[in-house]
Amino acid sequence: MSAHPGLALLLGAWLDDVRRRPRRSPIVYVAVAAALAALVPPSLELRTPRSRSNDATAVATAVREAGRPGDGLLHLSGRQRILTATHPDDTRLLVDLALARDPVASNTLAGVEFAAPGIAARMKEFDRIVVVRAAGERASGDPREEAKEETLRRHFREDRAVEVNGARVSVQVRRHGDSARAEFLRAPSGSG
């Protein structure tokens, strides 16, 4: 698919050259037929559902359907926040656990995330987290991404998941006996 714009430019330059020839020249007719034969199939392919491998609307809808008001929301990686940013109403009742400054305030596409320890601490405050991950994406060596993965692995289990046009939306629930309330009760109390 990435070669199609280059092919179109090449054909356009060639057709411009052909345009300068006499109209009755057979090469003009051959050129027009060749251009149509080359450009129509890719154009039709772009209009199929299969070509929409990163349909942000479908991803945002899946997040809305998976989440409950007050659930945590986690993007693996933070760059994938753009998958849900196009439809903020689908995520407005969820708490973005990693986001320190939103895209508008930070003048970035995906916003600015908390440091790794802050993200892990916020995740542990929730019993349910909706996780959005681009298909095939794994932790990249970024400490924040590793903290997200490690906290999910140690404290949560996947309840359900759905694959949606190039993304995986899953609901992670706290492991039995590892609730935020249980952690609070286990914490040593100060005696004075």
Side-chain angles (χ1 to χ4, degrees):
M1 286 288 195
S2 62
H4 296 313
L7 176 64
L9 288 171
L10 244 146
L11 282 170
W14 181 54
L15 286 173
D16 184 56
D17 180 58
V18 168
R19 176 182 63 88
R20 298 166 202 250
R21 297 177 185 270
R23 294 226 187 271
R24 301 216 186 262
S25 173
I27 199 162
V28 172
Y29 298 110
V30 171
V32 169
L36 286 174
L39 293 177
V40 169
S43 178
L44 294 175
E45 173 65 22
L46 288 173
R47 286 155 179 77
T48 65
R50 192 177 68 223
S51 73
R52 294 176 188 88
S53 63
N54 60 351
D55 183 356
T57 302
V59 174
T61 299
V63 169
R64 184 187 69 237
E65 291 172 355
R68 297 178 187 161
D71 281 353
L73 174 63
L74 193 66
H75 295 87
L76 296 173
S77 79
R79 293 186 318 260
Q80 301 308 324
R81 191 168 279 106
I82 60 174
L83 291 174
T84 58
T86 56
H87 295 278
D89 283 347
D90 288 337
T91 60
R92 71 179 168 80
L93 298 177
L94 305 177
V95 179
D96 192 325
L97 300 176
L99 191 63
R101 290 185 16 227
D102 68 33
V104 173
S106 65
N107 201 26
T108 63
L109 285 176
V112 175
E113 293 191 338
F114 290 108
I119 295 171
R122 288 181 57 129
M123 289 173 67
K124 292 176 189 175
E125 294 174 7
F126 286 79
D127 289 329
R128 281 176 42 99
I129 299 175
V130 178
V131 177
V132 180
R133 178 194 311 260
E137 180 133 347
R138 291 287 169 230
S140 62
D142 180 331
R144 292 175 299 230
E145 300 308 321
E146 291 174 358
K148 293 173 190 177
E149 297 274 5
E150 179 64 19
T151 304
L152 286 173
R153 201 172 17 262
R154 292 182 66 209
H155 299 282
F156 293 85
R157 66 173 175 76
E158 185 174 272
D159 184 51
R160 65 181 184 275
V162 62
E163 302 283 333
V164 183
N165 292 341
R168 179 179 175 83
V169 176
S170 64
V171 175
Q172 303 282 331
V173 295
R174 185 163 300 272
R175 294 186 184 281
H176 182 69
D178 192 19
S179 71
R181 180 165 167 68
E183 282 187 21
F184 174 76
L185 294 174
R186 285 195 299 258
S189 59
S191 52

